[in-house]
Amino acid sequence: MSEMVKMNGLQAINAAMFEAMEADPKVLVLGEDIADREGGGVTGTMRGLSTKFGDHRVCTTPISEQAIIGAAIGVAINGYKPVAEIMLMNFTTVAMDMIFNHAAKLRFMSGGQTSVPLTIRTLTGAGWQTAGQHADHLEGWFAHAAGIKVVCPSNPADYKGLLLSCIQDPDPCLFVETGGTLFVPGEVAVDQGPIPLGKARIVQEGTDVTIISYSTMMLRCQAALAGLAEAGISAELIDLRTISPWDKQAVLDSAAKTGRVVIVHEAVRNFGPGAEIAATINEELYGQLKGPVRRLGGPYSPVPFSKPLEDAFLVTPEQIVEAVKGLMG
Amino acid sequence: MADLKNAPVPDAETLVDIYRRMIRIERNDDAIRKTVRLGRLTMPYYSARGQEVIPSTISALLNKEDQICTIYRGIHDMVAKDMPLRPLWAEIAGRIDGTCKGKGGPMHLTHPESGVMVTTGVVGSSMPIANGLAWAAKLDGSKRVAIAYFGDGASNIGAFHESLNLASLWKLPVIFVCQNNGFAEHTRYENATSVDFISKRAAGYAMPGFTVDGNDPVAMYAAAHTAIARARDGEGPTLLECKTFRFFGHVLGDDDFYMTKEEKAAAMADDPLPKFRAKLIADGHATEDRLAKMQADIEAEIADAQEFGLNSPFPSADELRRDIFAEEIPA
Ligand SMILES: Cc1ncc(C[n+]2csc(CCOP(=O)(O)OP(=O)(O)O)c2C)c(N)n1
């Protein structure tokens, strides 16, 4: 066992960036407010990088999301490995043409001649009263685009290991950080290396029900575990970690074992990632399930400002327990 | 192209009206900051303290039906446009009596009665929409004008350039008002902007562009009057770059590490409010008594609005199903 250190997600990302930049001079960083002069990013995750690696590798940009992703694509096509920060996930919308029509598709459209080893880091999540334009979970949009991987870590070790993998990956990756998970400390191995993309993690083994989640909702699922244990329910909890491509095997194996599935995400339930997962489980395990696959997610609404409305927008551990109990019959 | 040489000078009553709007903004901002610090308002707050002159002067030249599209740092623009303070306070407190039933919050107030049509939290997004407001005015055959408020950082977004081009091409009655406070979050103007003056960018879109001291009501009046008159007369858009400073950082709680103490102190010493107040009195435009009474009335209005807002009920969870579409979403 290697030595463990306590750190939060911000520190884990920072550590991954230092390692990646040290190991490979082709790794670049660009985004708004990211140099040390500006504080190393709004959450400080890029702190120290510009001082150590210089302004030619760590570039603060104007507020120009389209130009940020465009430049990252162009430099990536030439063999660099840019890590572009889009301050908040909602602002990816300003760069959607670059991400969706270009970054994701250029390998295919060029018949494999070019590739875009680009990592886009972004941050989101409700709970901070930032209302309708600063808190959306849009991972489902990106998962719908063939050619870009979508990664949603929930703990410091995954923040580090998955970011290292995104940077090394030969294709574009969207790395989604969440306000609800970034500040929560956890144990990280001092030599934590890359964690493979597309691999889920079984957080707890169980036999009665499979709960599938990721990002901030993982923490709420973990908070629900005690209530479930109290009710005598043996729950298996899966942290999906990568939304696209997602770990079908791990999910299907678990669902086949328990026969009951609840999927929990913060993204709006309608057309959310849970719909794809539920549909796949139904297709593959029809007849083996003990009940319908349940989905818990945000209501069909923009994220509201008012605190009680925002609270009502987010799935609670109690609702997770209730949903599972409902399945147990 | 237009120049400001023959622009009119504001008369005494206009100057006092500009001051009234400024002090209403400042007192209201002070009350919001205090309430946030006390924990009675839980919201990200982007204070515009220091930027009062810009929307106050512009609003003194606008009619009630003229429309604005503003940004997260925009409560000063709304107060200048005479938005009633009761629904404003209820909104920033997330209550049902708010302008938007508490759904939008401090970054997204809308109040069409006051001409506050859209408030965006996305940098650069006020300009394309203001074009549409202006287009509607033109289609309606009215003399209405539209104002797009935005920051210096927003002039680096593609939408700025697209909007100026379209407005110029269609000769829209819109005024692009850049409130240049020298910083975009933590990034200094010169580290993110290719030109020394944003107004220079107007030339690329064949419209007049002026850089003015946004803390000087008389200079602001000349520029705003010229731009608004052009818009009303069907001559098309103008870009105004108004130089100013924000006293309380990007967002309340920001420690301003990205500027020097001296720089900040100098900017704050140049506070436009006390300066303008002293000048109004020195020039004989208003008496000390009149301004004191004005301020007392405004403080009473704010106290009442605060009381109202903080005591209004919260919306019920059913509100998550309302206003998505015209028809309520079934439970
Ligand atoms: C498209 C987009 N990118 C980034 C942000 C995050 N952000 C909010 S305000 C801001 C700075 C804007 O600066 P400026 O336009 O100068 O206006 P100011 O805040 O100084 O009034 C940034 C980067 C955003 N809201 N929208």
Side-chain angles (χ1 to χ4, degrees):
Chain A
M1 269 290 279
S2 52
E3 197 194 324
M4 304 298 278
V5 279
K6 210 168 192 118
M7 63 174 79
N8 64 23
L10 303 170
Q11 294 162 320
I13 290 168
N14 190 253
M17 289 307 307
F18 266 97
E19 273 178 36
M21 294 198 74
E22 234 151 58
D24 186 349
K26 294 279 192 191
V27 176
L28 311 173
V29 188
L30 70 166
E32 293 155 21
D33 284 329
I34 61 160
D36 287 330
R37 195 173 57 192
E38 288 89 27
V42 278
T43 50
T45 41
M46 300 293 107
R47 203 162 282 159
L49 294 175
S50 66
T51 303
K52 168 127 199 225
F53 299 104
D55 286 348
H56 61 296
R57 287 182 71 193
V58 181
C59 311
T60 282
T61 64
I63 310 172
S64 309
E65 283 76 8
Q66 193 167 191
I68 293 169
I69 303 298
I73 292 171
V75 84
I77 286 178
N78 279 303
Y80 288 87
K81 294 179 183 164
V83 179
E85 174 174 311
I86 298 295
M87 199 179 283
L88 292 180
M89 195 169 212
N90 281 80
F91 313 149
T92 61
T93 58
V94 179
M96 213 58 181
D97 164 56
M98 285 295 147
I99 302 172
F100 189 85
N101 289 326
H102 296 90
K105 298 178 182 171
L106 290 181
R107 180 189 288 279
F108 182 84
M109 288 166 60
S110 71
Q113 297 176 90
T114 59
S115 64
V116 184
L118 153 68
T119 301
I120 303 173
R121 292 179 40 254
T122 193
L123 170 66
T124 198
W128 312 83
Q129 283 200 271
T130 52
Q133 296 176 339
H134 286 72
D136 284 309
H137 265 269
L138 305 177
E139 59 275 9
W141 291 16
F142 296 95
H144 199 66
I148 181 164
K149 298 178 184 176
V150 184
V151 180
C152 294
S154 71
N155 61 75
D158 286 351
Y159 269 119
K160 183 167 179 211
L162 292 170
L163 181 55
L164 287 171
S165 289
C166 286
I167 296 170
Q168 289 174 6
D169 198 87
D171 285 301
C173 296
L174 181 75
F175 185 82
V176 185
E177 301 162 17
T178 41
T181 63
L182 268 184
F183 302 93
V184 182
E187 299 284 329
V188 181
V190 278
D191 58 355
Q192 176 68 61
I195 293 172
L197 303 181
K199 285 271 170 269
R201 182 172 77 100
I202 314 282
V203 177
Q204 171 178 298
E205 291 192 24
T207 51
D208 293 332
V209 62
T210 300
I211 303 174
I212 302 163
S213 191
Y214 58 88
S215 292
T216 307
M217 281 299 145
M218 261 310 295
L219 306 190
R220 296 205 170 193
C221 290
Q222 281 166 304
L225 289 178
L228 292 171
E230 230 165 76
I233 299 167
S234 166
E236 179 143 304
L237 178 58
I238 298 182
D239 186 345
L240 211 52
R241 306 200 286 193
T242 303
I243 306 307
S244 181
W246 59 286
D247 193 344
K248 258 184 220 169
Q249 203 52 53
V251 166
L252 292 174
D253 288 349
S254 178
K257 177 174 74 174
T258 62
R260 300 182 187 89
V261 180
V262 176
I263 305 161
V264 189
H265 55 54
E266 189 174 321
V268 169
R269 203 183 91 121
N270 293 19
F271 296 92
E276 172 68 17
I277 297 166
T280 305
I281 295 170
N282 283 336
E283 282 167 353
E284 301 291 328
L285 300 176
Y286 183 72
Q288 298 179 51
L289 299 174
K290 297 171 184 147
V293 177
R294 292 282 179 219
R295 290 177 292 141
L296 299 177
Y300 182 64
S301 154
V303 179
F305 166 71
S306 184
K307 193 66 196 159
L309 289 187
E310 192 186 40
D311 289 343
F313 183 90
L314 293 165
V315 176
T316 62
E318 295 71 37
Q319 288 169 330
I320 297 167
V321 172
E322 279 316 299
V324 171
K325 284 185 180 165
L327 266 183
M328 300 304 296
Chain B
M1 277 225 187
D3 67 50
L4 301 182
K5 275 193 222 87
N6 301 314
V9 180
D11 61 21
E13 277 317 298
T14 304
L15 288 169
V16 173
D17 182 46
I18 293 170
Y19 178 77
R20 175 188 69 79
R21 293 171 201 268
M22 285 169 61
I23 191 75
R24 190 161 173 262
I25 293 168
E26 188 277 333
R27 293 286 76 207
N28 192 58
D29 175 78
D30 187 69
I32 294 177
R33 273 186 285 112
K34 285 190 174 128
T35 316
V36 170
R37 291 214 158 104
L38 287 172
R40 294 185 69 205
L41 281 175
T42 51
M43 62 179 210
Y45 184 51
Y46 304 88
S47 169
R49 182 68 259 276
Q51 302 186 188
E52 293 86 358
V53 172
I54 301 163
S56 295
T57 311
I58 289 172
S59 298
L61 285 156
L62 294 180
N63 305 316
K64 198 171 159 93
E65 55 283 3
D66 289 324
Q67 299 182 336
I68 71 170
C69 185
T70 185
I71 62 169
Y72 51 91
R73 193 186 315 286
I75 290 185
H76 62 318
D77 301 329
M78 303 167 199
V79 173
K81 192 73 175 60
D82 284 324
M83 184 191 271
L85 298 184
R86 277 186 165 205
L88 184 155
W89 271 83
E91 186 60 31
I92 64 178
R95 311 302 169 106
I96 194 73
D97 296 311
T99 52
C100 314
K101 304 176 196 164
K103 297 176 178 185
M107 282 199 266
H108 306 297
L109 288 101
T110 294
H111 195 252
E113 270 168 68
S114 315
V116 178
M117 304 310 286
V118 178
T119 301
T120 181
V122 181
V123 169
S125 294
S126 63
M127 294 161 267
I129 298 173
N131 274 350
L133 302 177
W135 186 28
K138 203 169 161 170
L139 292 170
D140 288 348
S142 86
K143 287 273 179 196
R144 230 163 50 224
V145 303
I147 308 288
Y149 287 116
F150 56 98
D152 44 290
S155 75
N156 296 320
I157 288 254
F160 167 91
H161 300 272
E162 296 183 24
S163 302
L164 265 66
N165 182 59
L166 189 78
S168 182
L169 191 70
W170 289 4
K171 275 195 179 307
L172 294 175
V174 57
I175 300 100
F176 298 102
V177 180
C178 176
Q179 305 193 23
N180 182 352
N181 56 28
F183 294 89
E185 291 216 350
H186 304 160
T187 301
R188 300 187 79 93
Y189 175 91
E190 58 274 22
N191 291 332
T193 320
S194 59
V195 279
D196 48 359
F197 294 103
I198 285 169
S199 60
K200 286 187 180 171
R201 291 182 165 168
Y205 304 103
M207 73 173 75
F210 303 108
T211 296
V212 287
D213 179 351
N215 288 352
D216 174 356
V218 176
M220 264 308 299
Y221 187 88
H225 189 284
T226 304
I228 293 169
R230 269 177 51 77
R232 287 207 205 286
D233 293 346
E235 288 168 34
T238 306
L239 171 62
L240 299 183
E241 176 189 20
C242 315
K243 298 270 222 163
T244 185
F245 184 79
R246 50 163 165 73
F247 284 19
F248 293 101
H250 175 60
V251 64
L252 210 60
D254 183 343
D255 63 6
D256 287 347
F257 66 87
Y258 46 85
M259 60 177 92
T260 66
K261 292 218 163 34
E262 297 73 44
E263 184 179 16
K264 185 170 176 180
M268 288 181 72
D270 203 28
D271 189 342
L273 249 133
K275 249 185 13 197
F276 188 39
R277 188 180 198 281
K279 188 158 171 29
L280 283 179
I281 294 171
D283 290 351
H285 295 321
T287 62
E288 174 67 45
D289 277 359
R290 181 176 175 196
L291 298 187
K293 165 89 172 57
M294 178 188 281
Q295 181 162 334
D297 289 349
I298 284 169
E299 283 168 354
E301 181 197 10
I302 292 166
D304 164 77
Q306 182 174 17
E307 181 73 16
F308 173 85
L310 295 175
N311 289 307
S312 163
F314 282 107
S316 77
D318 294 338
E319 287 299 334
L320 287 174
R321 295 185 287 104
R322 299 195 184 120
D323 305 316
I324 310 288
F325 293 120
E327 279 166 34
E328 189 169 316
I329 307 278

